[in-house]
Amino acid sequence: QVQLVESGGGLVQAGGSLRLSCAASGRTFSEYAMGWFRQAPGKEREFVATVSRSGGSTYYGDSVKGRFTISRDNAKNTVYLQMNSLKPEDTAVYYCTARSGGRSTIRNEYDYWGQGTQVTVSS
């Protein structure tokens, strides 16, 4: 089992920045690829970003490419999502997720999920 706890969400004005963190516990963190998804009210959960087990490979959803950066610190069992140039359409609950094996953009391929953290971007 892997337990994931997100933090760092909040209210920010458009154009601002936030950094989300996700602390993992329970199993060897470096064995898991990590991802971030988000879900806005009335919408499907959407892929945001993923990072490989080593941190050497990343991939982003089209809507956040060039604005968001995913990274991880395996010594601290933590994955981060740096969000810059935030837009009102980035408003959502952001979920951290983990899967054994390689990184993925597919929601159903992930094994463990955090409880989510709310990000609200005001215009």
Side-chain angles (χ1 to χ4, degrees), residues 21-39:
S21 299
C22 173
S25 62
R27 297 292 295 269
T28 304
F29 182 66
S30 60
E31 294 180 351
Y32 294 85
M34 302 297 295
W36 288 94
F37 285 71
R38 68 186 183 185
Q39 189 166 17

Side-chain angles (χ1 to χ4, degrees), residues 1-2 4 24-35 51-55 72-75 77-78 97-103 109-112:
Q1 286 283 348
V2 175
L4 303 171
S25 62
R27 297 292 295 269
T28 304
F29 182 66
S30 60
E31 294 180 351
Y32 294 85
M34 302 297 295
V51 61
S52 62
R53 287 170 290 182
S54 68
R72 66 189 295 161
D73 185 337
N74 286 346
N77 291 355
T78 302
T97 186
R99 70 181 301 266
S100 56
R103 58 178 176 83
E109 292 185 353
Y110 283 86
D111 304 306
Y112 303 101

Side-chain angles (χ1 to χ4, degrees), residues 104-116:
S104 172
T105 65
I106 308 300
R107 172 185 173 181
N108 290 342
E109 292 185 353
Y110 283 86
D111 304 306
Y112 303 101
W113 293 83
Q115 82 288 350

Side-chain angles (χ1 to χ4, degrees), residues 5 7-8 17-20 32 37 39 42-43 68 72 80 82-83 92 96 116 120 123:
V5 179
S7 61
S17 298
L18 280 176
R19 188 174 84 154
L20 305 183
Y32 294 85
F37 285 71
Q39 189 166 17
K43 294 190 175 181
F68 290 11
R72 66 189 295 161
Y80 305 97
Q82 178 66 45
M83 305 185 295
C96 174
T120 303
S123 57

